[in-house]
Amino acid sequence: MGSKVFYRDFRKSYKTVAYGKGVYLYDIDGDRFLDGCGGNTVANVGYGVEEIIEAVYAQMKKTSFGHTSRFTSEVQEMLAEKVISLSPKGMSKAYFLSGGSEATEAALKMARQFHIETGNSQKYKVISRWQSYHGNTIGALSMGGRSFRRKNYVPYLLDFPHIAPSYCYRCPFHREYENCGIECAWELERVIKQEGPENISAFIFEPLSGSSLAGVYPPKEYYKIIREICDRYDILMISDEVMTGFGRTGKNFGIDHWDVCPDIIAVGKGLTGGYAPAGGLIVHEKVSEAFRKGSGSFAHGHTFVGNPLTCAAALATQTYMGKHDLIHQSAEKGKALLEMLKERLDSEIIGDARGKGLFIGIEFVKDQKTKETFNRKARLAESIGDLAFKKGLHILPGFGCADGVSGDHILIAPPFVISEEEMEELVSILNETIKEVKARILR
Ligand SMILES: Cc1ncc(COP(=O)(O)O)c(C=O)c1O
């Protein structure tokens, strides 16, 4: 009864959003919500930016569509220039899509075709990490390592290997940095050998973990070792930057923190800041060249590849970011916000607070010494998310960080335009929320 919408969750009631401005969303009853997670790391430039809206409208008046089997558009060409100028040196082409799962799925196929073009047609398996998320389509879900998202669809999933995450707070190898030999990186080589390097096409990873491990990132040596292993076995390195791309972590791309150049970068969300659905691939010259010199075309495509409205929204978003120095702001405000959270939050149940730029994760524990997790039945993270929302703050709760099933965390990732006063508001609502939920659960 009631609404005809097939909602995500039939048990929940949803606020009807009316409009957004800056870091706030307003519902039709006039209630205000501080978007402490930019939706889910989408609204990097905030809501209601007139110049982006006008750019999309202006493009719509020219044309909203031109099929890419026959047409390119000025806006697509300009956006590709812009995106390549922001990317690590060596990246030479950009491919625009409509969502993050489309991007990772296309990366899987592009890696496969790269090996066909270069005479290694047996290579097809993609290695990824447990406790990672790469999207919800079947290929993307097969690469992902979030047990609860995979569970119902296991019969459809591709037989892709997974390695342990790089997660110092709960090292899967029970080692301690810096005396660990970065075993988590070398596990990649072990699995490649085990599966047969002749079968492996790519390794995909989130440079800083998003929804599954909230802000966790590997030590400084990790991606250099991964690069070395990928080169040794002719395996493409795919950085999934659907969350971390375009300044979210305080640099253009998450992988820039390690000064390593991947072969493919998958992007989404922040490309358009939510002003149009978006995804895309940024492709290294080595990969583009293989296609150009080989069959000449990518055996893949969607109706909305290179869509002019997506491109207009993305170009205007990235231009706005540059004009207002927003990536620098993400870096600086991120540091300040992480400090505020560490200092001011009721810390008794906080195990770890981490992240870079405005991409911050908080992991909750029942016991700070033993790192014991809360009973999953208590739904601690969800309770914090729900109560914070009631109090006017949106954050992203998650679970499974400890072992894929247990462990509670939240992701905090506000728009880069957040002011000091708004950061104060965020921390204060969150603190009140954590105190109340803790009292209820530990009672
Ligand atoms: C790292 C990562 N990859 C891929 C995706 C999938 O993107 P989308 O939901 O736009 O399909 C997400 C979504 O949250 C993500 O965080």
Side-chain angles (χ1 to χ4, degrees), residues 99-101 133-135 206 240 242-243 269:
S101 304
Y133 182 59
H134 299 296
E206 296 168 85
D240 179 352
V242 169
M243 277 202 170
K269 306 178 190 279

Coordinates of all heavy atoms in Angstrom, one line a residue, residues 99-101 133-135 206 240 242-243 269, ligand 1:
G99 N 28.0 5.0 -13.8 CA 28.0 4.6 -12.4 C 29.3 3.8 -12.1 O 30.0 3.4 -13.0
G100 N 29.5 3.7 -10.8 CA 30.7 3.0 -10.3 C 30.8 1.5 -10.7 O 31.9 1.0 -11.0
S101 N 29.7 0.8 -10.6 CA 29.7 -0.6 -10.9 C 29.9 -0.8 -12.4 O 30.6 -1.7 -12.8 CB 28.4 -1.3 -10.6 OG 28.1 -1.1 -9.2
Y133 N 34.8 -3.3 -1.6 CA 33.6 -3.2 -2.3 C 33.9 -2.6 -3.7 O 34.5 -1.6 -3.8 CB 32.6 -2.4 -1.5 CG 31.2 -2.3 -2.3 CD1 30.5 -3.4 -2.6 CD2 30.7 -1.1 -2.7 CE1 29.3 -3.4 -3.2 CE2 29.5 -1.0 -3.4 CZ 28.8 -2.1 -3.6 OH 27.6 -2.1 -4.3
H134 N 33.4 -3.3 -4.7 CA 33.6 -2.8 -6.1 C 32.4 -2.7 -6.9 O 32.4 -2.5 -8.1 CB 34.6 -3.7 -6.8 CG 36.0 -3.8 -6.1 ND1 36.8 -2.7 -6.0 CD2 36.6 -4.8 -5.5 CE1 37.9 -3.0 -5.4 NE2 37.8 -4.3 -5.0
G135 N 31.2 -2.8 -6.2 CA 29.9 -2.6 -6.9 C 29.1 -3.8 -6.9 O 29.5 -4.9 -6.4
E206 N 40.7 -0.9 -3.5 CA 40.4 0.5 -3.2 C 41.7 1.0 -2.5 O 42.1 0.5 -1.5 CB 39.3 0.5 -2.2 CG 37.9 0.0 -2.7 CD 37.0 -0.2 -1.5 OE1 36.3 0.8 -1.1 OE2 36.9 -1.3 -1.0
D240 N 40.5 1.2 -7.8 CA 39.1 1.5 -7.7 C 38.9 2.8 -6.9 O 38.9 2.8 -5.6 CB 38.3 0.4 -7.1 CG 36.8 0.7 -7.1 OD1 36.4 1.9 -7.3 OD2 36.0 -0.2 -6.8
V242 N 36.3 4.9 -7.0 CA 34.9 5.4 -7.1 C 34.6 6.3 -5.9 O 33.9 7.3 -6.0 CB 33.9 4.2 -7.2 CG1 32.5 4.6 -7.1 CG2 34.1 3.5 -8.6
M243 N 35.2 5.9 -4.8 CA 35.0 6.8 -3.6 C 36.1 7.8 -3.4 O 35.9 8.9 -3.1 CB 34.9 6.0 -2.3 CG 33.5 5.4 -2.0 SD 33.3 5.0 -0.3 CE 31.6 4.7 -0.2
K269 N 31.0 8.5 -8.5 CA 30.6 9.5 -7.5 C 31.1 11.0 -7.7 O 30.4 11.8 -8.2 CB 30.9 9.0 -6.1 CG 30.4 7.6 -5.9 CD 30.8 7.2 -4.5 CE 30.5 5.7 -4.2 NZ 29.1 5.4 -3.9
Ligands
LIG1 C1 34.9 1.6 -4.2 C2 33.6 1.5 -4.9 N1 33.6 0.9 -6.1 C3 32.4 0.7 -6.8 C4 31.2 1.2 -6.3 C5 30.0 1.0 -7.1 O1 29.5 2.2 -7.5 P1 27.9 2.4 -7.9 O2 27.2 2.3 -6.6 O3 27.9 3.8 -8.4 O4 27.6 1.4 -8.8 C6 31.2 1.8 -5.0 C7 30.0 2.3 -4.4 O5 29.9 2.7 -3.3 C8 32.4 1.9 -4.3 O6 32.5 2.5 -3.1

